[in-house]
Amino acid sequence: MTAELVRGQNHPLPDTRLEIRVSAGHPVVAGTTLGDERGRVAGVEWIAHPGSPSLPGIEVSQQAAADHRLAVDLEAVPDSVHRVSVLLALPVGAGGPSRFGAAAAPFVAVTALDGTEIASYTITGLDSESAVVALELYRRQGVWKVRAVGQGYEGGLAAMLGDQGLENPAELAAAILEAVVRGMARSVAAPPPRVPDAERVRHSAPAAAADTAPTVPVTPPPAPGPAGGTPSGQGGPIDYAHPRRRATAPQSPPQPAPRTEPQQSPPVPVAGDAAGWSMDERLYNQVWGMFEDLARTTAAYRSACDFAESRLDQELDRVLSDPRSRIGGTGDAARAEARAKHDELTARAQEALDRDLAQLVAESEVVEPALPTAFARWDSPVWHGYRVPMETPMALRLGDLHLPERTDLHIPMLIRLPLERGLWVDSGRGRSEASALLDEAELRRLALDTAVAHAARLLAVYPAGDFTVHVLDPAGSGAASLAPLVESGVLAAPPAAGAAGVSAVLAQLTERVDLVQMAVRAGAADALPPGMDTAEQLLIVHDFPHGFDDRAVTQLRYLADEGPRVGVHLLMVADREDASAYGPLLDPLWRSLLRVTPVADDHLADPWVGHAWTYEPPRIPAGSAVLRQVLAQVAEARRQGWH
């Protein structure tokens, strides 16, 4: 039975391998500190936070999120540690509340690995505090217990760290929050919460009144365990109906028949087997469900393997420290037994992972052929029947994602429309093996080819006349890659070249942002100047920063920050090293854009566990004319005045 704690109350812990679940309803930073009997923390090396997420026996999330799962193995923490404090803090620049009193009370639960709640605590009574010690796990006379603390700090993370005896707490807090900002910049934004049925309206995105609230990671109800089902490395079928798939509400849209999971045979996958009003929405939710399932089942597997390694190390250390093991074959037998236990644990974890991956592969094989054009790969047959749409879809595909445990299992990377942040196609070499095999010129060409593919898909999924593309190519070096856009006639004007051309386009779009912002603030979004193009705007910027003066750089930063709110988006093609002369001045620009690459690169993170996912950019099949055919239809629809 779950113990519902109040502030100051404690409860014994029946096990040492635990999971701490945090549900806040808005992004929070979760971390832990390891302290002595008095709760004092010896140094920064005893803090687990997004920039340094692992300590002996502790693993925390690598980014801010509304929902956290912290892994705890109390047997693995050092003997000098007597308190494990769970800390929560509000991130800076996440678009959420600045104090806990302005949002719902955070909920924290300590669970066993099978998902059974041991103790829970709702942190009430917070007001102006922006950081709080939620719980502490403490050791008393060799027995571990949990205590509800709920101690808030108006001074934020710095005050909380200082209270635990750490030196230079302000600098440490700033470093942690900076790591959070970096993590949020590389994270794929989770889909927004489902809109209540009474408030649902047909999706539309007029440029002057686009909904631009930043996406906040959803807060699903607590699942039974990692990967939605079983304890790490243990048997039993995965619970395939994760929280969003099994969520229901009064007057809900038509739901698919509930999945049944026989003990021996896995469920037969079905395309569109998720909640939603339309098939596109169901497929979108199903893809995100697959994404989350793969993240969580992989986390369970890695956690089980880490535990097996930790347990093996501890048992081998005990053997080496026991003088009796040095006589006869006792030591050899103990080492063999320890390795046998390790092999058994990893084998069970691998078996569970293989079963879950097989189910996900089967689902992917059913879902992929059913995806509409906005979600489909360029080699999908659905493009052969392409027609210019009459409505804007809810999302589009930006590429694929996969993990090293199963590199052939690709999850479509779907992002919501209208775009909530610009895109940056990194033409630099980076750290990926794929980029190391290419010379600089080829990498830059691939980067612009990738940007053209993204722009073409955006043009293809919007109704005719609802999306306008501009291009800045100061030196004219991208003519070959830009040819499909130029020759089809889908651009608003020929690519702008030279300093004068760059200045004119940036001035035009900057003025547009100013005018729409003023109209929206005045509540007169329909009073824009006559003849103004109210379509969504995309600006492709090639070969930045060459050909850009300081004024142009400032305008780009302004467009990156303010443009998405009023339907103006950037698609940068640049190598960050080329702009290194600007120093930290451009850091906000890079962080405001979603970085993608022209070759495979493991730089993106999921919003649940924080795995490093390999991103695969979209590829036009070799020798295929699909891109030009689609752009030709878009151009023809515009000439005929379709809206």
Side-chain angles (χ1 to χ4, degrees), residues 490-578:
V490 294
L491 295 179
V502 169
S503 177
V505 173
L506 289 176
Q508 173 191 345
L509 291 177
T510 301
E511 181 184 24
R512 183 188 187 281
V513 170
D514 290 339
L515 289 173
V516 176
Q517 281 186 335
M518 288 189 291
V520 171
R521 281 196 292 265
D526 56 346
L528 294 170
M532 181 176 175
D533 183 7
T534 58
E536 297 275 316
Q537 309 285 311
L538 178 72
L539 176 61
I540 301 176
V541 180
H542 179 232
D543 211 19
F544 177 81
H546 305 298
F548 291 80
D549 57 22
D550 290 346
R551 177 178 173 78
V553 170
T554 301
Q555 289 174 318
L556 276 178
R557 285 189 54 186
Y558 177 72
L559 292 177
D561 291 339
E562 303 296 333
R565 294 182 176 86
V566 291
V568 177
H569 315 283
L570 289 185
L571 176 48
M572 300 277 291
V573 183
D575 178 0
R576 188 169 182 172
E577 289 299 317
D578 291 344

Side-chain angles (χ1 to χ4, degrees), residues 203-528:
H203 177 76
S204 61
D211 180 8
T212 56
T215 299
V216 177
V218 296
T219 309
T230 59
S232 304
Q234 297 186 16
I238 184 173
D239 178 3
Y240 226 67
H242 68 74
R244 272 196 305 281
R245 299 198 202 188
R246 61 172 173 262
T248 57
Q251 303 296 324
S252 62
Q255 304 286 330
R259 299 184 182 200
T260 59
E261 300 199 55
Q263 195 67 21
Q264 301 299 325
S265 58
V268 177
V270 178
D273 192 8
W277 284 77
S278 66
M279 178 56 75
D280 285 4
E281 187 177 5
R282 290 186 177 194
L283 288 168
Y284 172 83
N285 289 333
Q286 186 171 15
V287 167
W288 269 91
M290 294 164 60
F291 187 15
E292 182 175 353
D293 284 345
L294 181 54
R296 294 200 185 280
T297 198
T298 302
Y301 167 74
R302 293 179 181 178
S303 176
C305 290
D306 289 345
F307 171 71
E309 291 290 342
S310 174
R311 179 172 175 175
L312 175 63
D313 291 341
Q314 291 177 24
E315 293 185 355
L316 292 178
D317 288 343
R318 281 198 293 268
V319 171
L320 292 173
S321 62
D322 187 353
R324 294 172 297 179
S325 65
R326 302 169 189 168
I327 303 174
T330 304
D332 293 338
R335 282 189 288 270
E337 182 182 359
R339 291 193 175 92
K341 290 179 181 177
H342 169 272
D343 293 344
E344 179 186 1
L345 286 173
T346 54
R348 288 163 59 189
Q350 186 67 54
E351 180 184 359
L353 176 69
D354 290 343
R355 180 187 61 246
D356 296 345
L357 290 180
Q359 182 65 21
L360 282 167
V361 168
E363 186 167 18
S364 177
E365 291 173 348
V366 171
V367 169
E368 188 67 54
L371 296 177
T373 52
F375 302 173
R377 293 194 302 251
W378 281 110
D379 61 356
S380 171
V382 73
W383 286 103
H384 297 302
Y386 169 77
R387 295 292 182 270
V388 177
M390 302 299 291
E391 294 182 351
T392 305
M394 65 185 301
L396 89 163
R397 189 174 191 152
L398 206 62
D400 290 346
L401 299 168
H402 67 80
L403 290 173
E405 280 76 7
R406 187 69 186 261
T407 56
D408 62 333
L409 175 55
H410 286 205
I411 304 296
M413 180 180 170
L414 304 181
I415 60 171
R416 290 297 295 259
L417 293 178
L419 297 174
E420 294 176 343
R421 58 195 294 201
L423 303 176
W424 164 31
V425 182
D426 190 352
S427 59
R429 189 163 300 281
R431 295 176 297 178
S432 69
E433 295 181 5
S435 64
L437 299 175
L438 301 173
D439 61 36
E440 182 177 334
E442 178 66 9
L443 199 56
R444 291 179 183 272
R445 183 192 64 80
L446 281 177
L448 187 52
D449 287 348
T450 302
V452 169
H454 290 318
R457 183 179 289 265
L458 283 162
L459 283 164
V461 302
Y462 272 85
D466 283 5
F467 199 83
T468 301
V469 177
H470 311 263
V471 177
L472 298 183
D473 187 20
S477 57
S481 295
L482 294 170
L485 297 176
V486 175
E487 295 171 3
S488 63
V490 294
L491 295 179
V502 169
S503 177
V505 173
L506 289 176
Q508 173 191 345
L509 291 177
T510 301
E511 181 184 24
R512 183 188 187 281
V513 170
D514 290 339
L515 289 173
V516 176
Q517 281 186 335
M518 288 189 291
V520 171
R521 281 196 292 265
D526 56 346
L528 294 170

